[in-house]
Amino acid sequence: MLGTQAAERLPMPAPTPAPSATSRRRAGRPTAAVLDQDGITTAALQLISRKGYDGLTMAGLARSLGVAPSALYNHVSSKDDVLVLLEDHLAAMVDVSAFGVEPWDVAVRQWAWSYRDVFSEHTPLIPIIAVLPVANAPKTLAMYEAVTAGFREAGFPEERIISAIVALEAFVFGAAYDVTAPEDIFDAGNLADQVPNFTAAVDRLALEKHERPTDVAFSLGLEALISGFGTLRG
Amino acid sequence: MLGTQAAERLPMPAPTPAPSATSRRRAGRPTAAVLDQDGITTAALQLISRKGYDGLTMAGLARSLGVAPSALYNHVSSKDDVLVLLEDHLAAMVDVSAFGVEPWDVAVRQWAWSYRDVFSEHTPLIPIIAVLPVANAPKTLAMYEAVTAGFREAGFPEERIISAIVALEAFVFGAAYDVTAPEDIFDAGNLADQVPNFTAAVDRLALEKHERPTDVAFSLGLEALISGFGTLRG
DNA sequence: CCAGTAAATGAATGCCATTCATTTATCTCC
DNA sequence: GGAGATAAATGAATGGCATTCATTTACTGG
């Protein structure tokens, strides 16, 4: 009655979501899926890149897929579930290719930098991944497998491999946040006189205008971890 | 009309919030503050310890203070502002007492463990602190000053002090998340056969039943950072 | 052709942070 | 000691959010 557009009553056909809908069909079941988890994941990524994580709402995601918000719940059980899909998708983008090919320290370096870079654009996922059972994230699990195999091949004592990976990962996550911090985060403002040592050290760092400070800190910490862990190898 | 309780119309007097209201009076200005930032902070901490961070809502916080939600906005500009108050309060609880007293490595160890323990109970604050300009958090700034002074006294090259602290902090934040992870986070479930190296390493770790795995990983990473950074001292 | 079902709709729910016009109580100044 | 200013409270209203549910649609296999 209210709307003037035609075809408003036809629910199913819905103009297939612009890009890669990928609509897989599961054998022996009703097909015609307008939506699936892959499509939701890529639409969410696009939405995030356009509007950031504040723009990632179930309503917005549904709109970008040409679908009602409630329709999403046939494919994901909650918004957190969407975040898990995103996380797992991103895990597959982390570079583990050097493990088993390059020397151990080179591989770890490459993995860690890549891991940090991927998630520094997606810090809202960190609280999710840090606590996510790996069984719910197959691509994340695959990443761990590659890294673990690399450590083992490099002669790492088996009982320390997981601990070392967990420690490296903790450092990577924290560093990912650091990337997003404002440049002037360490400007003490009017409190500067009360913290002379700190202010001096901040000023001193500012003089070295080579790399981004966040990259210097990451490199410093990562190299310490690599050389510290390197001594554990048999 | 609806309510049956007496005295409902009297707005100001409000039964002073049970515990430490601390009501400071600012000279030369109207006093009678039922609310202030200290009171809000401690009420928020109590609320969190009772109901967790999901229970920390502006409405709930106001209720626990015997006040209307809108009243809070006379003292904080947003909920994020409340989180900043919390963060700064917690920063003051981090143990920096060993800097300048104990040897450098002992002081760093004590600081880092304490820092992690404090924030592992308050991980929702990590995205806040990681990006918070220090000028808005005086107690946090004081912590940095103490740490910086300790590094300097220990002969650390000035241009690397901030980077080292940032790296340590990144590790601490990531490790704080790790503490909150479920025990079975590394259980691969039915995918276990596809990740044999990983599964083996996880099982191997499980055999060593001494400490919490999260503490083992933290110790491993922290000691690597300490020994790696230790070589920088002059 | 029929019955079943996956997948869509859209209206409704409840919670949330935040805003605003208004009121009250106190302080400062004359 | 009264006038005016102001900090600090109220409570009603707003808009956004994730999520639920009864209902409808169109495809499927028997």
Side-chain angles (χ1 to χ4, degrees):
Chain A
M1 297 291 191
L2 283 172
T4 58
Q5 308 180 342
E8 269 207 337
R9 299 293 172 70
L10 308 176
M12 278 298 290
T16 95
S20 60
T22 315
S23 36
R24 297 165 177 261
R25 32 192 84 225
R26 292 198 272 156
R29 305 239 157 261
T31 66
V34 174
L35 246 41
D36 66 358
Q37 292 197 335
D38 275 2
I40 290 172
T41 305
T42 66
L45 278 172
Q46 274 185 240
L47 188 54
I48 289 161
S49 76
R50 274 191 296 115
K51 312 224 191 182
Y53 274 87
D54 284 349
L56 180 63
T57 66
M58 295 302 269
L61 185 52
R63 193 173 342 112
S64 81
L65 284 160
V67 134
S70 50
L72 295 170
Y73 290 86
N74 287 317
H75 304 271
V76 296
S77 62
S78 66
K79 184 176 178 179
D80 267 14
D81 210 14
V82 175
L83 299 182
V84 169
L85 291 176
L86 283 171
E87 186 280 317
D88 204 39
H89 179 90
L90 293 174
M93 300 175 54
V94 174
D95 183 3
V96 294
S97 64
F99 283 106
V101 179
E102 303 282 344
W104 175 84
D105 65 306
V106 174
V108 171
R109 202 173 283 115
Q110 194 164 312
W111 168 62
W113 278 98
S114 155
Y115 201 174
R116 185 202 69 148
D117 287 345
V118 168
F119 279 92
S120 65
E121 308 266 4
H122 298 274
T123 54
L125 298 180
I126 292 178
I128 301 282
I129 182 181
V131 157
L132 178 70
V134 294
N136 300 340
K139 294 173 187 163
T140 307
L141 186 53
M143 179 188 76
Y144 287 135
E145 172 66 6
V147 177
T148 306
F151 273 59
R152 176 184 284 204
E153 282 176 40
F156 226 83
E158 181 135 44
E159 72 276 12
R160 295 241 174 86
I161 293 180
I162 297 296
S163 298
I165 293 174
V166 167
L168 278 161
E169 216 178 15
F171 177 63
V172 162
F173 291 154
Y177 279 119
D178 189 48
V179 172
T180 72
E183 285 194 13
D184 61 338
I185 189 177
F186 286 137
D187 183 348
N190 39 3
L191 299 165
D193 1 345
Q194 294 165 46
V195 289
N197 288 282
F198 178 73
T199 302
V202 169
D203 291 346
R204 186 67 171 76
L205 173 63
L207 291 181
E208 328 254 312
K209 268 295 181 191
H210 308 125
E211 303 171 73
R212 281 193 304 176
T214 189
D215 290 342
V216 174
F218 185 67
S219 176
L220 194 66
L222 181 59
E223 296 306 321
L225 288 170
I226 288 174
S227 79
F229 290 170
T231 66
L232 297 176
R233 295 164 50 202
Chain B
M1 296 293 191
L2 283 172
T4 58
Q5 310 179 339
E8 268 207 336
R9 299 293 172 68
L10 308 175
M12 277 299 288
T16 94
S20 58
T22 317
S23 38
R24 297 165 176 262
R25 29 193 87 226
R26 293 195 274 153
R29 305 238 158 262
T31 67
V34 174
L35 247 39
D36 65 0
Q37 292 198 333
D38 274 0
I40 289 172
T41 305
T42 66
L45 278 172
Q46 274 185 239
L47 188 52
I48 288 161
S49 75
R50 275 190 296 115
K51 312 225 192 182
Y53 273 87
D54 284 348
L56 181 63
T57 68
M58 295 302 270
L61 185 53
R63 191 170 345 109
S64 81
L65 284 160
V67 136
S70 51
L72 295 170
Y73 289 86
N74 287 319
H75 303 272
V76 295
S77 61
S78 66
K79 184 177 178 179
D80 267 15
D81 210 14
V82 174
L83 298 183
V84 169
L85 291 177
L86 282 171
E87 187 281 319
D88 204 39
H89 179 88
L90 293 174
M93 299 174 55
V94 175
D95 183 4
V96 295
S97 64
F99 284 107
V101 178
E102 303 283 343
W104 176 83
D105 64 306
V106 174
V108 171
R109 203 171 282 116
Q110 192 165 312
W111 168 62
W113 278 97
S114 153
Y115 202 174
R116 185 202 68 147
D117 287 345
V118 167
F119 279 91
S120 65
E121 309 265 4
H122 297 274
T123 53
L125 298 180
I126 291 178
I128 300 283
I129 182 180
V131 156
L132 178 72
V134 293
N136 300 341
K139 294 172 187 164
T140 307
L141 186 53
M143 179 189 76
Y144 288 135
E145 172 67 7
V147 177
T148 307
F151 273 59
R152 176 183 285 204
E153 282 175 40
F156 226 83
E158 182 134 44
E159 73 276 12
R160 295 237 174 87
I161 293 179
I162 297 296
S163 298
I165 292 174
V166 167
L168 279 162
E169 217 177 12
F171 177 63
V172 163
F173 291 154
Y177 278 119
D178 187 48
V179 172
T180 72
E183 284 194 13
D184 60 337
I185 189 176
F186 286 137
D187 183 349
N190 38 3
L191 299 164
D193 2 344
Q194 293 166 46
V195 289
N197 288 283
F198 178 71
T199 301
V202 170
D203 290 346
R204 187 68 172 77
L205 173 62
L207 291 181
E208 330 252 315
K209 269 294 182 190
H210 307 125
E211 303 172 72
R212 282 194 303 179
T214 189
D215 290 342
V216 174
F218 185 67
S219 177
L220 194 67
L222 181 59
E223 295 307 320
L225 288 169
I226 288 174
S227 80
F229 291 170
T231 67
L232 298 174
R233 295 164 51 201

